[in-house]
Every structure is written in C-alpha cells, then in structure tokens.
Amino acid sequence: MRIRARRVLTPEGERPGVVVVRDGLIAEIAPYHGGPADVEVAGDEVLLPGLVDSHVHVNEPGRTHWEGFATATAAAAAGGVTTIVDMPLNSIPPTVDVPALQAKQAAARGQLAVDVAFWGGAVPGNRAALRALHEAGVAGFKCFLLPSGVEEFPPLDAVQLEEAMTEIAVFGGVLIVHAEDPATIAPAPHGRAYADFALSRPQAAEVRAVATLVEAARRTGCRTHIVHVAGAAVLPLLAAAKADGLPVTAETCPHYLTLCAEDVPDGATEFKCCPPIRDETNRDALWEGLRDGTLDCVVSDHSPCPVEEKRLDSGDFGAAWGGIASVQLSLPVTWTAAADRGFGLSELARWMSTAPAALAGFTDRGALAPGLRADLCAFAPDEWFVVDQLRLRHRNPVTPYQGRKLRGVVRRTWLAGEPVEDGVRAGRLVSLRG
C-alpha cells in the first residue's frame, strides 16, 4: 500500500510524501514524486498519525447499554482514533484481576473497529493481583481517591494508596489517578444550578489530591499520572514535581479546554462531568499548561451513559450521571480551539497521539515514522461542520457539543495500512507485554 499526500505530518514536521506500508508497518516515507501510489490524499487533507485515546470508558460487559466495544470503536475510528485504552470501571466485573480482564477481552473479540488495550484497576484488597495483571498486559492501573460513582470500584484510602504505589513501583508499572480529595468534596446538590454543582467540587479538592500524590510518588518512586486535570490551580504542583525529576505526568480533556462554566446553562446536565468544567480564566491557564509542557496529553475521558441517566428532563445536576461522551469529536473540538490560539498540527499530534501512546507503554505507534504501525487518518483541518448528535457513533446520543460549529473533518482512517470501513471489525486486542 502506498498513500500519497502533499502534507504528511512526521515527527520532523510536515512534508509532501508517499507513506509506503508493508505488513501493516510504515516501511518508509518516500518522496512525493517517488513512483505510483494506491491512494491519493486530497490537497486539503493532512495525513496525521492515528490518535491514541488512553482514557475511554467502554462499559462492556455489564453496562453495554451505556456503551459497548462495537459502538465505542466505531466512534473512535470516525474521529481519527486508531487505538483506545479502556478504563477498568463501569464494566461488570471491573478489571481488577486477571479473570476480569479475560472476561473483558472475551466480550471485545470480533467487535473492534480499532485496536484496544486495557487499564487494570487498583482497589482495596487487590494488591496481590496487580503484578499478575501487569504481566497479563494491562497498560497500568487506575484508582480513585473518592467514590467512583459505581459501587464495584471503591476508592483507595491513604494507606491503601501507599501500598499500591509501592507494589506498582517494584515492577515498573504506572498508576493513573482520579485526583480529587474526598474530604473537600460536598455531596452534589440537587437542582438545576450549574454553579451550585461546580462549587460542590472546588479546585481545592484537586490541589489537595495532587499534593498527596506528588509526595507519595516522591516516597515510592511510582510512576504517577493525573487524569483529567480540570483545575489549573494544580499546575504549579505538577511543574514543581517535574522540576524535581519525579515520575509525574498529567492529562486534560477537550471539554476542559473548550467549554467554560459561564456558558453552561442551568439544567444543561449534558455538561456535567467530574471534576467540573471551570471558568474561562481557568480554561486559558490549562492551555498555558499544555504550551509549557506541564500537561502532557489531551484525551477524551469518553464516559457515556443512557440518555435517561443524564436527567435531561429535570436538569437535576445532583441526580445526573457525570461524564461526557466525546471520543469521536475530540480531534475537531481540540483543533478548533488550538488553531485559534496559534498552535499547529504538530502540537496536536504530540498531545493526542505521541504522548498518550508513551503513557500507555506503546512503542509501535503514536507517530508517522518508519518502523511504526501504519495507523493514520486523513484530516481536513480547514473544513467546518456543525455537530449533529444523531450522527455520532457512540451508543447514546448525548453531547454538550450539539449544534456547535467545529473546524476539522476526519475523512478517512487507516488501521495497519488498511482503510477502516463501516462494519469491518479489523481491530485487535493489544497486550502491552508478550
């Protein structure tokens, strides 16, 4: 397979070329006029590396009516995402031991439009299962410091957190953490006022949790990753940890980079997520955190639910499920705002492909370079479209981006050099070891 494009985004920057694919890998990026090509990419398209979304809640088995592998991976492919890493909670059983991992793998087989790897979970009582899960190929381990929202995935207390981090450090794993301090969180107030909900989960909860994690990483040496940073007040803590050489990284999400609390109407529970979307000044500071490298990744935190669980009829933020389903829209949502702020496609590819691939431990993807997997997408960065939630591929059509005008259209996606077609299930289950 030979794919010719006037704009190929390589680690060294954009250039014209022909991506030559052999056995699912990029054999070379040949000169633009270096012989015939099987596919000619349109002049307004850029060949990007397929995105790696390391934060996706698929929910199958157990809550497949919320989201399943067939729908989640179809949505991913439509959004230029060629690899997802599935979170260990919201499915039943949660991925907290090897039999649960095997149950999830069995549920996924034959359904995948893109590649799928898995996070394991760190919960009270499963310290002895962590190494076995690591050896079975999970990317790392997710934990919560406060209730997760589902009873079967409880949080770690301070002692259990230290024990898990000590164990994970022994075998060189990574712990990814929902970082909000439980003592600083108030019960979600019932009612339609978004401001009341946001105040119940203040930035101080993120600050205290991140401070705890940084010191635990200092003591244990455990690689520690903070998921879905919403509050910019944590950025100085993260920057200081990095300056001290601690193995601490962090991500944020498209909704924190593009939405702001001032624009969330009361009763609009499609905007509810945890931690909450914060104000415009905070949003601007998150972009600066990406600019200076304090934040490493941009990932979706695709967290869907049935339409009725969003309580759109009552608009009750206290009762609604907290999560935003956005795996299909992450690239255009982020690019629309990034382009306005002067960022280029190289930064976008680093945040949304290279860095999350490195976080999850992939060495064979995350960039367009010889020897890596030929996972790529044709992206028209200057084409605009209006979001219609009924055209999205995830299972339940709810999105805070409904009706929003976005810049950037994914026109084609390739997995291991083969075009991803509707109904074709060529994705693989990926083990990070063996």
Side-chain angles (χ1 to χ4, degrees), residues 56-127:
V56 176
H57 294 268
V58 175
N59 303 343
E60 186 175 8
R63 290 188 176 93
T64 309
H65 62 297
W66 290 39
E67 183 68 286
F69 286 104
T71 47
T73 60
V81 178
T82 50
T83 304
I84 65 171
V85 190
D86 174 57
M87 284 290 163
L89 70 155
N90 296 347
S91 57
I92 302 174
T95 316
V96 296
D97 54 31
V98 171
L101 174 64
Q102 292 170 338
K104 183 163 278 196
Q105 291 168 330
R109 286 190 181 95
Q111 295 204 72
L112 307 181
V114 301
D115 286 358
V116 176
F118 299 95
W119 295 106
V123 297
N126 84 324
R127 179 178 179 178

Side-chain angles (χ1 to χ4, degrees), residues 9 15 21 38 46 66 96 127 158 181 215 243 291 307 327 330 339 367 372 380 382 402 413 415-416:
L9 187 65
R15 64 181 175 91
V21 181
D38 301 291
V46 183
W66 290 39
V96 296
R127 179 178 179 178
D181 175 61
E215 292 311 307
R291 189 185 302 276
V307 174
V327 65
S330 287
L372 299 185
D382 296 319
Q402 171 68 9
T413 304
L415 188 67

